[in-house]
Amino acid sequence: MNKKVLIIYTGGTIGMAVDPDTNALVPFDFEKISRKVPELKKFDFGINSISFNPIVDSSEMSPEIWGKLVKIIEENYSSYDGFVVLHGTDTMAYTASALSFMLHNLQKPVILTGSQLPLGAIRTDGKENLLTALEIAAAHKNGQALVPEVCIYFQDKLFRGNRTTKYNAEHFRAFRSDNYPPLAEVGLHIKYNYPYIRYTTLNGTFSVSTRMDNNISLLKIFPGINEHVVRSVLDAPGIRGVVLETYGSGNAPTSQWFMKALRDAIDRGVVIINVTQCLAGDVEMWRYETGRHLLNMGVVSGYDITTEAALTKLMFLLGNSTSMDELKMNLNRSLKGEIKSVNS
C-alpha cells in the first residue's frame, strides 16, 4: 500500500504567489499545488493538503492556534504516514517546540518547513524545502518511520524542532541548532544521522494535549537593567513562570535589589528557569558565584535548552502539571529531547 502524507498549510511566505493584476502577494489554493510544483506527481506516495481558513501570519501564532494544529494532526493521524506543516519562518521554532510537547507517543514524522521566498518566485527556496520535507515525512524502513519526531527542515538540514532557532532573516539558511546535531543532511542523497534521532519507547497510543498556560514572561538581563524593569516582569498580575535569559553559563547581577526581586517572585510560587543568551553552550549555575546565588534561591537550570523551547515547555508544564514538585522535576528532565539527558 502506498504511503500518504498530509500537508497542513498554516500560512507564511511559502504559500504565496504574485497576483498578476495587482503584483501583490496572495495565498494560492493548495488544492492546486501540483500546478506550482509539478514534481509532486513523481512521488510514489499520496499527498493531500489542508489549509487554515483564514491562514495565519506566523507573527500571530498563539497557543490557541497550536491547539488547532495538533487537533488536525490527531484527527488525521491514523490516515497518514507523515505530516508536513507549512509555516512562516518567524515563529517556526516556537511552533515546532510547542508541538513536540503537545504530541505524545508520536511514531510518525511531523516536519515543519517554509521558505524565505514565495513558492511562485523564480528563485524560491520553497520548492526544494517542500519536496525534501515530503520525502522525509514519507521515509520508512521495516515499517518504522525514519524520523518519528517534530522537526524543522530548511536548506539541506533537518533539525529537531525543539533544538532549533531562527538566526537569519535574509539568507536561505535561516535556522540553526547549535547544541544538537542535524537529524539528516541533504545533498545528492539524504543522509540520516540515526544515533541522534529520537525513537520513543513509551507504551500507549498517540494523543495530544492542548492545555498551554501562557501566564509567563521572558526577562533578558542586560548591563544597566534597573529594578523597575525587573519588577514589572516578575510582579506582573497573574504571572506564573519566567524564562530568565542570563549571561554566559547562567550568570546574572548579584545586586541586593535584583536578588530580592527574584526571591520574592519564587516565594509567591513563580517558576523561574535560567537559560543562556548564547546561541551555543549551556547553563552551569554551579560554575561561578553569580550563578550559584540563583541556584541556591531556587532558580531552575535550563541546561542547553533554547529560549523557544523553554517558553513553550513552561507553558505546557504549567498547563498540565498536578503539582509544583512535578513541574520542577519535569523542567529538569528531557521530555522530548529538548535538553541534554539530565536525570532523564
Side-chain angles (χ1 to χ4, degrees):
M1 182 182 295
N2 285 343
K3 299 287 187 293
K4 290 174 65 179
V5 175
L6 180 65
I7 298 172
I8 305 171
Y9 176 53
T10 66
T13 300
I14 191 169
M16 298 295 178
V18 177
D19 185 316
D21 297 325
T22 65
N23 226 24
L25 288 175
V26 294
F28 65 80
D29 183 0
F30 261 83
E31 293 298 323
K32 301 173 183 176
I33 190 173
S34 59
R35 296 182 185 178
K36 293 289 182 183
V37 191
E39 294 89 344
L40 293 174
K41 297 176 181 178
K42 297 181 180 180
F43 281 130
D44 62 353
F45 53 85
I47 300 170
N48 292 325
S49 64
I50 293 176
S51 292
F52 274 30
N53 186 19
I55 61 171
V56 181
D57 187 282
S58 70
S59 51
E60 302 290 345
M61 202 53 61
S62 68
E64 290 74 27
I65 298 171
W66 294 333
K68 178 180 177 180
L69 183 52
V70 299
K71 292 302 287 187
I72 291 173
I73 294 172
E74 180 183 41
E75 290 164 3
N76 291 277
Y77 190 77
S78 61
S79 301
Y80 292 90
D81 300 281
F83 301 86
V84 170
V85 178
L86 302 183
H87 194 290
T89 58
D90 286 347
T91 57
M92 189 183 293
Y94 291 93
T95 296
S97 297
L99 264 56
S100 74
F101 300 118
M102 299 169 80
L103 302 175
H104 309 298
N105 297 312
L106 183 63
Q107 302 284 349
K108 300 179 180 183
V110 177
I111 313 297
L112 282 79
T113 194
S115 65
Q116 299 284 63
L117 285 175
L119 203 53
I122 293 175
R123 294 190 305 107
T124 183
D125 54 327
K127 183 178 288 190
E128 192 278 328
N129 286 347
L130 173 60
L131 293 172
T132 304
L134 285 165
E135 187 169 349
I136 292 170
H140 282 65
K141 185 175 182 180
N142 300 324
Q144 165 74 58
L146 293 189
V147 192
E149 293 199 39
V150 179
C151 304
I152 288 177
Y153 176 74
F154 224 88
Q155 186 66 20
D156 74 22
K157 295 284 192 305
L158 181 74
F159 298 121
R160 177 170 293 161
N162 58 32
R163 290 289 197 152
T164 312
T165 294
K166 182 178 180 181
Y167 82 103
N168 199 307
E170 182 178 351
H171 294 171
F172 286 152
R173 184 163 289 137
F175 292 90
R176 61 196 296 170
S177 172
D178 290 288
N179 281 334
Y180 202 78
L183 303 185
E185 299 174 80
V186 178
L188 294 178
H189 306 282
I190 299 177
K191 178 186 176 184
Y192 292 97
N193 295 325
Y194 294 106
Y196 300 110
I197 298 172
R198 186 173 184 270
Y199 296 96
T200 181
T201 57
L202 298 176
N203 295 320
T205 57
F206 172 77
S207 63
V208 305
S209 294
T210 58
R211 294 187 303 274
M212 300 285 276
D213 189 334
N214 64 349
N215 288 297
I216 66 169
S217 188
L218 174 65
L219 177 58
K220 187 184 183 88
I221 302 302
F222 59 88
I225 192 169
N226 64 55
E227 183 173 1
H228 298 296
V229 171
V230 172
R231 287 282 185 182
S232 69
V233 174
L234 296 178
D235 299 346
I239 200 78
R240 297 188 64 203
V242 173
V243 174
L244 182 68
E245 272 201 0
T246 56
Y247 306 129
S249 56
N251 302 306
T254 56
S255 307
Q256 185 174 354
W257 66 262
F258 181 76
M259 290 297 175
K260 186 176 188 308
L262 293 179
R263 192 175 297 108
D264 288 347
I266 292 170
D267 289 345
R268 292 195 310 273
V270 176
V271 180
I272 301 177
I273 179 171
N274 185 358
V275 304
T276 178
Q277 296 178 13
C278 302
L279 283 173
D282 61 309
V283 167
E284 297 176 328
M285 288 192 287
W286 50 267
R287 184 175 291 277
Y288 298 103
E289 183 179 0
T290 53
R292 285 197 294 271
H293 284 299
L294 301 178
L295 183 64
N296 291 337
M297 74 169 62
V299 174
V300 180
S301 175
Y303 301 103
D304 58 345
I305 199 168
T306 64
T307 295
E308 295 91 336
L311 287 163
T312 53
K313 183 177 183 178
L314 194 52
M315 287 186 201
F316 172 75
L317 292 177
L318 285 169
N320 294 275
S321 301
T322 58
S323 68
M324 185 61 69
D325 287 341
E326 178 189 338
L327 186 152
K328 289 185 176 180
M329 178 186 71
N330 283 324
L331 274 180
N332 275 287
R333 293 176 59 230
S334 175
L335 301 181
K336 300 296 176 70
E338 73 280 2
I339 60 174
K340 61 185 179 183
S341 295
V342 181
N343 302 326
S344 62

